[in-house]
Amino acid sequence: MVSRAVTQLYDDVMRPSGLRVTQFSILGTIARMGEANLRQLEDTLAIDQTTLTRSLNLLERGGVIERVPRPDGRIKAMRLTSKGRRALEVARPLWAQAQAKVLHELGTTAWTDTQRRLTHLFQVAAKKRRLGRARRRVQPLARSRIEARKLSRAVGRS
């Protein structure tokens, strides 16, 4: 509930840029990295793949990012277009205005404490996400071993 209210505050202030705060975060991350693939963006922003893919598709349709084929042909990276760089330039001062509003309401001490706690929460969530992803990759292999043992026992009994 709180995150929605804060997101709405930023979205309202940033409306003239045509970007939502989540899109701004994605564009800012791509700008910092130069190019980024889906996995890099997922890990950096801690956004689930479905939400991120939907946002990237919207940004691509809007002409602010483009997909760049990689030499191996498998993983495509995203990079900003000139339109994307301009959108980011327009959005940055608006984001700063929204940030100033939040700082004014909370005060710098409360903001610093909030930022520290949220950073910790983000790190815990990102770690749990990485562990979950690793577990999902291992599970199919473990399942196939269990199924192989069952099959081996069944064949041994006949």
Side-chain angles (χ1 to χ4, degrees):
M1 189 185 281
V2 172
S3 65
R4 270 188 249 143
V6 172
T7 298
Q8 189 62 51
L9 180 141
Y10 279 84
D11 284 347
D12 289 347
V13 173
M14 294 180 64
R15 189 163 286 119
S17 74
L19 295 175
R20 295 179 157 274
V21 70
T22 50
Q23 294 170 327
F24 173 76
S25 297
I26 293 168
L27 291 182
T29 301
I30 294 171
R32 274 191 307 281
M33 296 173 100
E35 289 183 358
N37 65 38
L38 188 64
R39 177 59 55 92
Q40 290 170 318
L41 291 170
E42 272 184 76
D43 290 343
T44 303
L45 297 165
I47 299 176
D48 68 275
Q49 186 175 353
T50 304
T51 303
L52 181 58
T53 300
R54 185 173 45 244
S55 294
L56 290 171
N57 287 337
L58 287 170
L59 291 168
E60 187 175 25
R61 270 199 307 267
V64 293
I65 64 167
E66 61 187 356
R67 294 177 196 260
V68 183
R70 305 303 299 158
D72 65 7
R74 291 182 303 135
I75 299 173
K76 292 188 189 225
M78 276 64 70
R79 72 175 168 210
L80 295 183
T81 61
S82 57
K83 184 177 179 180
R85 284 188 293 281
R86 284 191 307 274
L88 206 49
E89 286 173 23
V90 169
R92 278 190 178 119
L94 297 171
W95 180 89
Q97 285 176 17
Q99 184 72 5
K101 279 185 174 186
V102 171
L103 279 172
H104 178 74
E105 291 297 320
L106 281 178
T108 53
T109 303
W111 173 249
T112 301
D113 184 52
T114 300
Q115 206 170 21
R116 182 182 53 78
R117 290 171 191 249
L118 288 173
T119 298
H120 177 71
L121 182 60
F122 176 81
Q123 290 167 344
V124 168
K127 181 179 178 182
K128 186 170 183 143
R129 181 183 182 82
R130 281 191 303 274
L131 291 173
R133 189 181 293 140
R135 231 179 273 122
R136 283 192 301 275
R137 278 194 297 255
V138 170
Q139 256 182 339
L141 180 60
R143 264 191 241 125
S144 64
R145 285 184 184 151
I146 291 167
E147 289 167 6
R149 273 187 248 139
K150 285 179 183 176
L151 181 62
S152 173
R153 284 188 211 128
V155 170
R157 281 184 247 159
S158 35

